[in-house]
Amino acid sequence: MAVVSDNAPLTPHWHAMPVEAVLTELDTRASGLTGQQARERREQCGPNRLPEAKSRSRLMRFLAQFHNVLIYVLLVAGLVTLLLQHWVDAAVIIGVVIVNAVIGYVQEGKAEDALSAIRNMLSARALVLRDGTRITLDAEDIVPGDIVPLQAGDKIAADVRLLQAKGLRIDEAALTGESVPVEKTVTPCAEHAVLGDRVCMAYSGTLITAGQGVGVVTATGARTELGLISALVARVEQLTTPLLRQMASFGRWLTLAIVLIAAIAFAFGIAVHGYTAAEMFLAAVGLAVAAIPEGLPAIMTITLAIGVQRMAAANAIIRRLPAVETLGTVSVICSDKTGTLTRNEMTVRTLMLPDVQLDISGSGYDLRGAFTAADKDYDVAAHEGAMQMLRAMLLCNDADIVQDEEGQHIQGDPMEAALSVAAIKAGLNPVLTGRQWPRTDLIPFDAAHQFMATLHHSHDGESIVLIKGAPEQLLKRCSHTWSVQGAIPIAIEAWERHVENLGSQGYRVLAIAERRLDQHPVELTFADVEDRLVLLGLCGLIDPPRAAAIEAVATCQQAGIRVKMVTGDHRVTAGAIARQVGLQNTDEILSGSQLEEMDDATLAEQVERVDIYARVSPEHKLRLVQHLQAHGRVVAMTGDGVNDAPALRRADVGVAMGRSGTEVAKDSAEMVLTDDNFATIVNAVKEGRTVYDNLRKAILFILPTNGGEALVILTAILLGVEQFPLTPVQILWVNMITAATLALALAFEPPEHGIMQRAPRDPREPVLSRLFLWRILFVSLILVVGTFGLFMWDMQANGSVEHARTIAVNTLVMFEIFYLFNSRYIVHSVLNARGLLGNRYVLGAVGLLVLFQLAFTYLPVMQSLFGTTSIDLQTWALITLVASSVLWLVELEKAAVRRYKKPPSSQANPPS
């Protein structure tokens, strides 16, 4: 036997081998394996199930949430606070860390579910032949060489080489992306045929929609195509986000800088000013606590979480918090066609009759639609030939349109359902038409003859054969076609041109014909449809694009985002849909077979330019994503099938369809669209850009305030003052209370005007640009001059360190209140009604913080905890006057920046 275990050599090309050679290679026969053979192979090959990857324990998954440099910094801050025996503050800091970890655990905890979801696609029970007898057994017990009967409705439990096929059609959309069920045959295929073209194979996890057949099992478990995808998903590395990479780097540098500066200050204070080691230890601790942005990790998480809530309201469910920010940097969307850009519902769009071409409006299985000719309304009921053709489409058909409590859906083949819908749009009633022309016999569709024929008898004694199928099979059997004068000889060449023209537009073309019989047979034979058929016309079907997808693609292009179609469907169909949705380059199409022949260097040259990829496999999709990322692109990959899972997992943002998508795709993705609407991605990108803007604003707000606090302590050390302006616990109060109010308000900033007219942000662009670094230094100096100046003034005037520290703390907080308004726009002015009043959360945060500071200043319990004392109204006026200087000075600095320097591409635009 060729394949006996997971460690065996590569599987032979079963699809390229004749049936007899397959049976010989697998050492089996048409009556099936013997019981002894099956037991031996079960021991060799193992059970027919996908191996379960060893997953992390829940504890390890929770602990992994703490593996972040900023979290380490936050833990150090909590430890320092514990050493200072300030239990409440330590509890607050540690509480922030734990909340952050819990959110991450909940959002990311299902990452390992992709493999288990693939395993669940396997059928639980299966029918096989053993010792010539049909038996039902657990799908786990199937082995290579088993003979399996196949029939409509079955989910295939292993990879199978077909031995017999009669009208067999299999829905392989989840595996290959093919939009309609595939017609199967037993004829060998080319050795290098891609997965979707291997018509003599049936694959594990796919569904039989029509017909019946018999096959021999060629692969089970991990060696099936489904198993190979499972292994591919397990090997794919999930990438971190640009912001997290940058913030991790920033956290490392910040940690190093804080430790270094604190150590230098410690040594300087002892050596130059004669401070004791104990005094300098407390001062160094205060400096470190001041410099550490305790609230930054929490604010980042909360800002991302707010983005998640907004997206959920807009039908986009985020499974990993950082993906929100990554959406803002997306520069390429690799989109599946079927069900993503299109409706995944076949639709009859055109009827080519001998004397007129009719177009049909409506999409999918919606029964509403109208007939037009040359863009004018057309009374199809008055055209006898058209109604004959539509009646044939309805009768030579095994699909049903079902209306129940859950809505309208189909039973049977999607293409046949589309034919029924077209007939119903013309006013035909399926039930009444079936009663008027009852069916007495049929020739089912088979890939060998490529048509279906049905025999009908009317109540008036008429006998008629109706045939639908591939034009190349039916045209050669037709002698006449209908016209207004009746049957006329057929012009084969003209009809072949019609077929070619419709095919070039992406239509799947069916020919519809009939033959009226003089006698009244009760059985239908191939001789009855061999010749003398009358062609009624051609029918053009297509899986139409979503109307919203066309608009969404245009919006993406305005936003500088390249949309690429990556589909398992045919080249012609892919090209037609690409032109309809408005992709940029529709002249070049690469197929999976071409990708197979390309080396990495050649593909690297093509991938930036080519926008359409047809008949691709999971490995091809993954390879395309990797090459785009190698070009520095931030890639979003959309998909709904099992075949999309590896690329979804590898992409910077995997986007799965919530309605039509498999659980495998959903669990491999960072984002799930609950409405399966491509346009929702555009809204998500807009929200991602807004979230990134708001994160930058929060960072630009928090870091200068921390810098100001640290410089106040450092200035006191350098000047050798007897009393420090701020104590560590007062610094913690300022950091945590302003982060919980002021910085949080920036998370609710609305989108900037023109946000979707910007080019995508370069992910390599640092968060801390030169403008940011300058602003941090500039604002920090303003804060230290004002805060330290008022502290020293009050110490000289009153001599009370508690009073002076109370002034210093409130001055620092008031500085932050005024600077909050500056931070709403990074470069553009806020000195207008929208800038000062346009965010109600900012106004609410300011009001709340004022109440907190009044409590901090006047409540006895707070005075006892933080060492503060009451101050008078005149002092408050002085504090406000000094603190307001930051608003005017930063606005002057912004004006200079606007005048002398053009903002970077990712800079927020001015408000509308």
Side-chain angles (χ1 to χ4, degrees), residues 421-648:
V421 168
I424 294 170
K425 288 178 181 178
L428 293 174
N429 185 300
V431 176
L432 292 179
T433 305
R435 290 174 180 172
Q436 291 168 357
W437 293 90
R439 181 193 296 182
T440 57
D441 199 12
L442 86 157
I443 298 174
F445 181 90
D446 190 282
H449 52 255
Q450 295 185 309
F451 66 80
M452 173 184 178
T454 53
L455 175 63
H456 301 265
H457 297 282
S458 74
H459 298 295
D460 297 329
E462 296 178 275
S463 298
I464 188 171
V465 179
L466 303 176
I467 311 99
K468 72 170 189 292
E472 59 268 24
Q473 291 296 324
L474 263 61
L475 287 178
K476 64 185 181 183
R477 301 167 189 262
C478 293
S479 58
H480 291 74
T481 185
W482 279 110
S483 73
V484 289
Q485 293 85 21
I488 60 174
I490 189 170
I492 295 292
E493 295 80 5
W495 284 101
E496 288 176 341
R497 286 195 295 271
H498 289 320
V499 172
E500 184 177 349
N501 181 50
L502 290 174
S504 67
Q505 299 175 53
Y507 288 109
R508 292 179 178 271
V509 185
L510 285 180
I512 311 295
E514 69 173 26
R515 182 183 177 190
R516 296 181 182 270
L517 303 176
D518 297 329
Q519 300 177 345
H520 304 289
V522 294
E523 292 185 357
L524 186 61
T525 67
F526 280 95
D528 296 320
V529 295
E530 190 63 34
D531 53 20
R532 292 181 293 169
L533 302 183
V534 176
L535 180 68
L536 299 177
L538 302 175
C539 173
L541 303 98
I542 200 166
D543 180 12
R546 297 174 181 268
I550 299 173
E551 182 180 347
V553 168
T555 304
C556 284
Q557 291 170 355
Q558 287 180 356
I561 300 170
R562 194 76 174 256
V563 179
K564 295 179 182 290
M565 180 190 293
V566 185
T567 178
D569 222 327
H570 293 276
R571 293 173 61 100
V572 173
T573 306
I577 294 297
R579 287 187 288 274
Q580 292 179 43
V581 299
L583 294 193
Q584 287 177 278
N585 180 9
T586 58
D587 296 329
E588 296 181 86
I589 303 175
L590 286 180
S591 66
S593 57
Q594 289 173 301
L595 293 177
E596 288 281 0
E597 297 172 359
M598 284 186 182
D599 57 25
D600 287 340
T602 306
L603 182 56
E605 295 176 3
Q606 300 271 7
V607 75
E608 282 278 88
R609 187 181 70 255
V610 177
D611 288 340
I612 308 171
Y613 302 87
R615 304 302 277 172
V616 295
S617 69
E619 292 84 356
H620 299 148
K621 294 185 178 186
L622 179 58
R623 192 177 171 204
L624 288 171
V625 170
Q626 290 170 328
H627 275 285
L628 285 166
Q629 289 171 335
H631 279 280
R633 299 287 192 169
V634 178
V635 182
M637 169 73 189
T638 73
D640 55 6
V642 179
N643 60 322
D644 298 320
L648 286 173

Side-chain angles (χ1 to χ4, degrees), residues 8 72 115 158 165 203 485 509 529 559 575 649 696 698 793 844:
Y72 296 154
L115 297 180
Y203 292 107
Q485 293 85 21
V509 185
V529 295
R649 189 171 175 85
R696 295 178 79 226
W793 169 80

